[in-house]
Structures are given as structure tokens and as C-alpha cells.
Amino acid sequence: MSDGYTLYGHVRSGNSYKPALMLALTGTPFEFVEVDLVGEEQKSGQYRDKNVFAKVPMLTHGRATMRQSGTILLYLAAQTGQFGSDGPLHRLQVSEWMFWEQERLFNGVGRSRFFRKVAPGDPAVLEWLAGVGNDALDTLEAQLVQTKYLTGDKPTIADINCYCYARLAEEGSFEMGTRPATVAWREAMEALPGWAPPAELLTAR
Ligand SMILES: N[C@@H](CCC(=O)N[C@@H](CS)C(=O)NCC(=O)O)C(=O)O
């Protein structure tokens, strides 16, 4: 195992984009290993031996192996001293958005986009996911009309975490014209030094 950072992921995976973007925004070099999701490599013995969840992303760093995107972001914030929280109360706010993202934003927007763009889904399921996604995007908008970033005036891993699926809203057929604060926040994220799209980060380097 390399002592540096090795990210296992896939270019079409929003969850893989989260650690890749964090590494890019913090100027941290990393190796990228593509996991062939189409060929179901994530379920193969060799990968599954390292990752019982059988999903991407996975990050290895020295003796540490991390297999949840949120865990990876928390680790990288601690390692780099960037995009973390300012103190115990701020840490609670950051973690709230991270837990919420997996429950509502990834489920609603991420899965709507998956079933519309990658694999066809049952219309009843799509309708249910659209409700979850719209509710999640309304929640983001309600916060972002109040603060520039999710927990205040500075971006944190909460923003990186939520941005990676919020940016895919249109691909999930969500209307963003009525959510100007969220659109402005996405643009602010894309203006951060080091920002790059998935196609530039989740690729052999
Ligand atoms: N809770 C996990 C979710 C990971 C996840 O669902 N990854 C998807 C790609 S975005 C995956 O590996 N899908 C392949 C599969 O389900 O077999 C995380 O945050 O890392």
C-alpha cells in the first residue's frame, strides 16, 4: 500500500467526486484507481476484501482505509487543516449537513439522476424520489438564502459534501430556476481555487 493518498472511484459517481474535489481544493496529490462499476468490480472478491460495503469511493492513506465519502472528508479535513469546523458547535452544524446529505440529497437527487441518466427506473419509484429530491433542494435553498455557505460565510466539508449532488440536480430533472441561492452557491463552489470537474479528477493520473 502506498503511503500517499489512493482514491478508488468512478467518474460518474458523485460520492467519488466528493473526496476527489476535497483533495483538489486542498492541493493534495493523490493516485486514482478506477473501479469498473459497470462490470461490477465493486462486488468482486478482491475489492470486497478491502471494502465490505462494496461501493465507491474508498481512500487509502498509509495504514488507514476509509470506505464512506463522509468519513473520507472528515479525515481529509483533519489531515489538511482545511475546510473543517471552527469549534465544537460549528462541528455539530457541519456534521448535521453531512448526515442529512446522505439521507435526503443523495437519495433524492442522486438516485433520481441515476435512474434518469444511467439505468431506467420504475416510474412510481422515480416519482417518490422526485419528492425527496425537491424537498432536499428546498432545504438547501432555505439555508442558502440566509448564509453564503451552508454553515456560514466560509466553505467547509459540509459544502463539498452537498455540492457534489446538488450540481447534478438538472440531470435528475429538477428545476433550478426557482432556487437562485443554490445556483449562486454552486457557482461560488466552482470559483474556489483548485476546483475541477469530475472528468479531470476521477481519471488516471
Ligand atoms: N454511503 C456511501 C454511498 C456510496 C455509493 O452509493 N456509491 C455508489 C456510487 S455513487 C456505488 O458504489 N454504487 C455501486 C453499487 O451500488 O453497486 C458513501 O457515502 O460513500
Side-chain angles (χ1 to χ4, degrees):
M1 191 181 288
S2 150
D3 274 351
Y5 291 101
T6 303
L7 176 63
Y8 296 75
H10 191 275
V11 69
R12 299 203 66 176
S13 153
N15 284 311
S16 301
Y17 184 39
K18 295 174 194 172
L21 182 58
M22 174 71 176
L23 288 158
L25 293 174
T26 56
T28 309
F30 65 101
E31 282 177 32
F32 177 68
V33 177
E34 183 181 282
V35 178
D36 176 13
L37 294 188
V38 180
E40 302 215 313
E41 188 186 348
Q42 74 278 19
K43 296 179 182 161
S44 73
Q46 219 184 358
Y47 185 81
R48 213 174 188 142
D49 285 348
K50 288 182 276 190
N51 185 346
V52 71
F53 302 119
K55 307 264 184 205
V56 293
M58 174 168 76
L59 184 80
T60 61
H61 182 223
R63 290 176 345 128
T65 298
M66 289 146 279
R67 307 163 302 179
Q68 290 288 324
S69 59
T71 307
I72 298 171
L73 291 182
L74 286 165
Y75 179 80
L76 290 173
Q79 289 287 312
T80 63
Q82 297 182 62
F83 297 102
S85 43
D86 283 341
L89 293 180
H90 188 214
R91 185 155 59 238
L92 297 179
Q93 291 181 317
V94 169
S95 63
E96 276 178 349
W97 283 108
M98 295 181 68
F99 286 116
W100 171 83
E101 184 271 347
Q102 287 282 287
E103 185 209 342
R104 305 299 290 177
L105 190 59
F106 169 47
N107 261 323
V109 174
R111 293 197 196 284
S112 290
R113 174 254 190 177
F114 178 81
F115 287 125
R116 285 179 196 278
K117 285 282 168 191
V118 184
D122 179 324
V125 173
L126 277 175
E127 194 184 329
W128 184 79
L129 289 173
V132 177
N134 274 312
D135 177 63
L137 292 167
D138 286 345
T139 303
L140 280 182
E141 185 71 11
Q143 180 61 46
L144 293 166
V145 293
Q146 298 177 57
T147 52
K148 181 172 181 188
Y149 295 101
L150 289 172
T151 64
D153 58 4
K154 284 189 310 193
T156 70
I157 51 174
D159 297 277
I160 295 170
N161 198 47
C162 292
Y163 162 76
C164 290
Y165 279 102
R167 68 183 284 278
L168 299 173
E170 287 88 344
E171 287 193 21
S173 297
F174 293 98
E175 166 59 46
M176 293 307 287
T178 53
R179 295 166 170 134
T182 306
V183 172
W185 165 75
R186 295 192 309 190
E187 288 167 1
M189 293 300 292
E190 286 160 17
L192 293 174
W195 179 89
E200 279 178 35
L201 300 178
L202 296 163
T203 186
R205 48 191 54 246

